[in-house]
């Protein structure tokens, strides 16, 4: 299957990342298409999480971390000093491995982002954002009668969907997911995967996963990282049926090392 | 072709056992076709029962392979080359089983044959049978060596099988025309000829599966076809 000629949303060019003296990413060049799911796979420590943390400049908070090279979103350099990181992160939501709801009510978990970004002036506007975000995250029907209960009272899978709803509440364009299902059971995982399918119609999604089966199920493009380098990027179909690189093949078939 | 083995040893053993069973099946099928053809050429009626009975071993291996593949799919969710090996083994084992069935059908036609068939007729069947046996041996060797070039060569050579089939069909037609009483025997011989040709088709299927296993792509384009009868 040929990669369709889609619009590039995110483009990394010659990206290098260092943690102190240790180089974590080497000359990464990667294009991420708009409104598509890109899966990043590779063994632990290969740099895939470091890479997605570059996309919303999460590495800024690590003192010893130095990023050079370029990441453009819609053609604009995000590492530019003039870029407002808060605004950048409004555009790029992130969901982590372990669901991390705030110790607040379900409602306030969703309302928090829109409040700090000043997205709603009136209560009914905020109600609307909360409802829409929860609906988009396929959680509304399960929580609509208990919005004032703590987010932490939900099941693991529901908490993860709450975190996705929270990310959606500030109307992002890109959603980064760092192993979003690794702490979830198969049914909760299936619900998140179903949600990813739905969300890709409106958002650009980058997902880091250790599950090959998940990468095959949810993504259209897959990138294989190894020791800080990108080894192969191609359509997911090609990567899992007939990868070009032997190292990719050895990794996905369980022959590594 | 995968180079290093799987980290999980039992996965490695399962794939090896799958390969061993397919090779065993190939070797049995080769013997069956060779013996069925020899029985036709020599009109050796005594060997028929043994050939019919031995087909059971091929069927049994196919069932074992089916079961092993189901297990591999469920347990391992094979990817990339492992996925292609698994799918190709499934298809190849079914083609081998069909070739085994055809060998059995050919053998069954020997019993009613007279011992004094014309030399030209026997000669044309022998040439067709020899070519199909050679194709089968080569495709099994190509599988062992994972030879892409050989798989293409065998695939293309089916044209010659078609040509020799047409010649054999013409000989059967001549035999029938020489005496209308030959109708029943000629009908049996037409089935024998057609069955050898069908075995050739399954061999080209195997070549296609092998090519997919090696390249991850399908052999494209129409296979060359032999000339139709009387052209």
């Amino acid at each position: 299957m040929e990669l369709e000629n889609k619009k590039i949303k995110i483009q990394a060019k010659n990206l290098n990342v260092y943690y102190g003296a240790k180089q974590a990413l080497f000359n990464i060049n990667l294009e991420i298409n708009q409104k598509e799911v890109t899966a990043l796979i590779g063994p632990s420590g290969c740099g895939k999480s470091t890479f997605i943390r570059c996309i919303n400049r999460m590495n800024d908070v690590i003192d010893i971390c130095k990023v050079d090279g370029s990441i453009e979103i819609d053609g604009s350099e995000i590492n530019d000093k003039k870029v407002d990181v808060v605004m950048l992160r409004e555009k790029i939501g992130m969901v982590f491995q372990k669901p991390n709801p705030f110790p607040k009510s379900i409602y306030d978990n969703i309302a928090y982002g829109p409040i700090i970004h000043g997205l709603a002036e009136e209560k009914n506007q905020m109600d609307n954002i909360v409802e829409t975000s929860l609906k988009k995250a396929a959680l509304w029907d399960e929580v609509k009668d208990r919005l004032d209960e703590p987010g932490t009272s939900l099941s693991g899978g529901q908490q993860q969907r709450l975190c996705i709803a929270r990310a959606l509440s500030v109307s992002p364009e890109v959603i980064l997911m760092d192993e979003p299902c690794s702490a979830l059971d198969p049914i909760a995982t299936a619900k998140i995967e179903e949600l990813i399918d739905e969300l890709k119609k409106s958002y650009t999604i980058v997902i880091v996963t250790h599950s090959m089966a998940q990468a095959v199920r949810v993504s259209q493009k897959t990138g294989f990282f190894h020791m800080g380098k990108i080894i192969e990027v191609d359509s997911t179909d090609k990567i899992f049926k007939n990868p070009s690189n032997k190292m990719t093949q050895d990794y996905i078939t369980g022959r590594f090392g | 072709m995968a180079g290093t083995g799987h980290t999980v040893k039992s996965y490695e053993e399962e794939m090896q056992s799958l390969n061993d069973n397919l090779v065993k099946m190939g070797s049995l099928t080769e013997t069956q076709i060779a013996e069925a053809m020899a029985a036709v050429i020599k009109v050796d009626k005594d060997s028929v029962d043994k050939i019919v009975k031995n087909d059971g071993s091929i069927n049994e291996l196919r069932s074992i392979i089916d079961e092993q593949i189901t297990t591999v799919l469920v347990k391992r969710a094979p990817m990339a080359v492992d996925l292609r090996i698994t799918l190709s083994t499934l298809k190849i084992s079914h083609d081998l089983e069909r070739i085994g069935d055809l060998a059995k059908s050919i053998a069954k036609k020997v019993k009613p044959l007279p011992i004094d068939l014309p030399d030209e007729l026997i000669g044309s069947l022998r040439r067709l049978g020899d070519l199909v046996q050679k194709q089968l041996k080569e495709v099994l060797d190509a599988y062992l060596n994972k030879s892409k070039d050989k798989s293409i060569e065998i695939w293309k050579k089916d044209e010659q099988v078609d040509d020799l089939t047409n010649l054999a069909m013409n000989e059967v037609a001549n035999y029938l025309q020489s005496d209308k009483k030959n109708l029943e025997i000629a009908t049996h011989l037409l089935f024998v000829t057609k069955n050898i040709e069908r075995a050739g088709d399954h061999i080209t299927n195997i070549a296609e599966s092998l090519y997919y296993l090696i390249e991850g792509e399908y052999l494209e384009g129409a296979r060359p076809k032999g000339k139709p009868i009387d052209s």
Side-chain angles (χ1 to χ4, degrees):
Chain A
M1 190 174 73
E2 293 294 316
L3 284 179
E4 285 173 46
N5 205 4
K6 285 213 167 194
K7 183 174 179 288
I8 296 165
K9 181 74 181 172
I10 305 168
Q11 181 153 36
K13 288 183 198 159
N14 304 324
L15 187 76
N16 290 283
V17 175
Y18 307 83
Y19 292 117
K22 187 183 170 344
Q23 188 165 359
L25 289 180
F26 297 81
N27 215 34
I28 301 296
N29 288 287
L30 182 60
E31 290 172 354
I32 288 165
N33 295 333
Q34 188 175 40
K35 293 183 185 176
E36 192 176 273
V37 182
T38 299
L40 304 180
I41 59 167
S44 297
C46 68
K48 55 196 187 300
S49 294
T50 300
F51 175 74
I52 66 165
R53 291 163 63 92
C54 290
I55 299 173
N56 64 350
R57 287 185 49 183
M58 286 266 288
N59 292 318
D60 284 13
V61 297
I62 303 169
D63 287 340
I64 58 163
C65 184
K66 181 176 151 263
V67 176
D68 70 35
S70 155
I71 293 188
E72 289 178 359
I73 295 184
D74 296 326
S76 300
E77 176 58 52
I78 65 155
N79 288 318
D80 197 296
K81 284 196 179 69
K82 283 180 275 182
V83 170
D84 177 349
V85 176
V86 175
M87 294 303 289
L88 177 72
R89 290 183 194 151
E90 186 184 320
K91 212 196 261 188
I92 303 165
M94 189 155 186
V95 178
F96 298 87
Q97 187 171 0
K98 221 173 142 225
N100 55 353
F102 301 135
K104 289 171 175 287
S105 71
I106 294 169
Y107 186 99
D108 288 344
N109 260 278
I110 310 298
Y112 186 82
I115 288 170
I116 60 164
H117 289 291
L119 299 180
E121 286 170 5
E122 290 168 27
K123 171 84 168 78
N124 66 344
Q125 278 180 307
M126 186 58 82
D127 289 350
N128 192 27
I129 290 176
V130 170
E131 182 175 339
T132 312
S133 305
L134 286 167
K135 278 183 174 162
K136 281 183 189 161
L139 189 60
W140 175 250
D141 289 341
E142 293 163 56
V143 302
K144 61 176 189 251
D145 300 321
R146 46 192 284 208
L147 293 173
D148 53 351
E149 287 179 25
T152 49
S153 67
L154 298 171
S155 73
Q158 288 173 324
Q159 286 187 25
Q160 195 62 304
R161 279 179 282 145
L162 179 67
C163 293
I164 293 172
R166 188 176 65 191
L168 298 178
S169 68
V170 292
S171 304
E173 293 167 18
V174 177
I175 305 168
L176 308 174
M177 296 181 163
D178 195 352
E179 293 184 59
C181 301
S182 61
L184 305 183
D185 70 28
I187 298 296
T189 298
K191 285 183 182 166
I192 301 281
E193 289 180 0
E194 167 68 15
L195 180 57
I196 291 172
D197 258 355
E198 192 56 38
L199 292 175
K200 76 160 188 282
K201 293 174 190 160
S202 316
Y203 306 92
T204 301
I205 298 173
V206 187
I207 180 170
V208 164
T209 178
H210 276 297
S211 161
M212 306 297 150
Q214 181 168 64
V216 176
R217 288 192 299 261
V218 303
S219 73
Q220 289 72 55
K221 188 174 183 176
T222 296
F224 170 56
F225 279 73
H226 181 57
M227 292 176 79
K229 291 177 181 150
I230 193 141
I231 306 297
E232 185 171 356
V233 189
D234 212 322
S235 74
T236 298
D237 195 66
K238 174 87 167 66
I239 291 279
F240 288 97
K241 286 183 188 164
N242 189 18
S244 303
N245 191 289
K246 184 175 182 304
M247 207 185 268
T248 314
Q249 169 136 297
D250 284 353
Y251 180 69
I252 63 174
T253 57
R255 288 179 164 86
F256 221 73
Chain B
M1 67 183 293
T4 45
H6 293 94
T7 306
V8 178
K9 269 199 200 112
S10 52
Y11 189 2
E12 195 66 16
E13 286 159 11
E14 283 163 24
M15 294 305 276
Q16 187 59 49
S17 166
L18 202 51
N19 177 71
D20 293 348
N21 281 332
L22 192 69
V23 171
K24 208 185 291 175
M25 208 179 159
S27 150
L28 284 176
T29 310
E30 233 184 318
T31 307
Q32 285 287 91
I33 275 281
E35 292 190 354
M37 282 318 297
V40 171
I41 305 301
K42 294 181 207 154
V43 195
D44 173 10
K45 303 181 188 208
D46 295 340
S47 62
V48 172
D49 290 344
K50 186 187 139 208
I51 297 168
V52 170
K53 182 170 161 281
N54 285 350
D55 185 52
S57 311
I58 297 177
N59 295 343
E60 206 176 302
L61 272 170
R62 202 220 66 199
S63 302
I64 293 170
I65 288 174
D66 276 359
E67 192 59 38
Q68 284 182 309
I69 285 174
T70 310
T71 305
V72 166
L73 289 173
V74 167
K75 270 172 84 172
R76 313 293 182 189
M79 299 277 186
V81 69
D82 294 327
L83 177 69
R84 303 203 307 271
I85 290 174
T86 310
L87 293 177
S88 300
T89 304
L90 182 68
K91 290 169 85 174
I92 292 173
S93 68
H94 282 239
D95 280 313
L96 287 174
E97 194 234 317
R98 291 293 299 131
I99 296 173
D101 288 344
L102 292 165
K104 184 171 80 172
S105 298
I106 291 168
K108 278 180 171 174
K109 302 290 180 211
V110 173
K111 282 199 174 166
L113 295 183
I115 48 165
D116 57 347
L117 283 169
D119 288 347
E120 299 79 28
L121 186 49
I122 290 292
S124 65
L125 284 174
R126 179 191 284 126
R127 280 191 296 279
L128 174 61
D130 285 352
L131 178 60
V132 167
Q133 285 177 70
K134 185 164 171 276
Q135 285 273 84
L136 180 59
K137 183 185 181 308
E138 287 189 351
V139 85
L140 294 171
D141 286 346
Y143 173 81
L144 285 175
N145 304 322
K146 304 289 179 279
S147 167
K148 180 185 84 173
D149 293 344
K150 268 285 175 194
S151 73
I152 299 170
E153 193 186 309
I154 293 156
W155 186 72
K156 285 185 176 159
K157 227 198 236 172
D158 191 54
E159 189 180 12
Q160 292 179 24
V161 174
D162 291 343
D163 287 340
L164 288 184
T165 300
N166 290 337
L167 288 174
M169 292 275 196
N170 281 336
E171 287 300 336
V172 176
N174 291 340
Y175 175 64
L176 177 58
Q177 273 169 355
S178 69
D179 187 344
K180 295 285 183 269
K181 286 204 291 290
N182 290 340
L183 178 62
E184 193 192 333
I185 305 298
T187 310
H188 289 313
L189 290 170
L190 280 177
F191 273 111
V192 168
T193 314
K194 197 66 196 161
N195 284 344
I196 306 170
E197 191 227 351
R198 287 293 299 144
D201 290 341
H202 286 288
I203 291 165
T204 56
N205 286 351
I206 296 174
E208 286 171 10
S209 298
L210 176 60
Y211 183 90
Y212 174 72
L213 188 166
I214 299 164
E215 287 291 288
E217 287 167 10
Y218 297 98
L219 260 172
E220 282 181 9
R223 207 165 62 214
K225 286 280 169 205
K227 295 176 207 77
I229 299 176
D230 294 328
S231 66

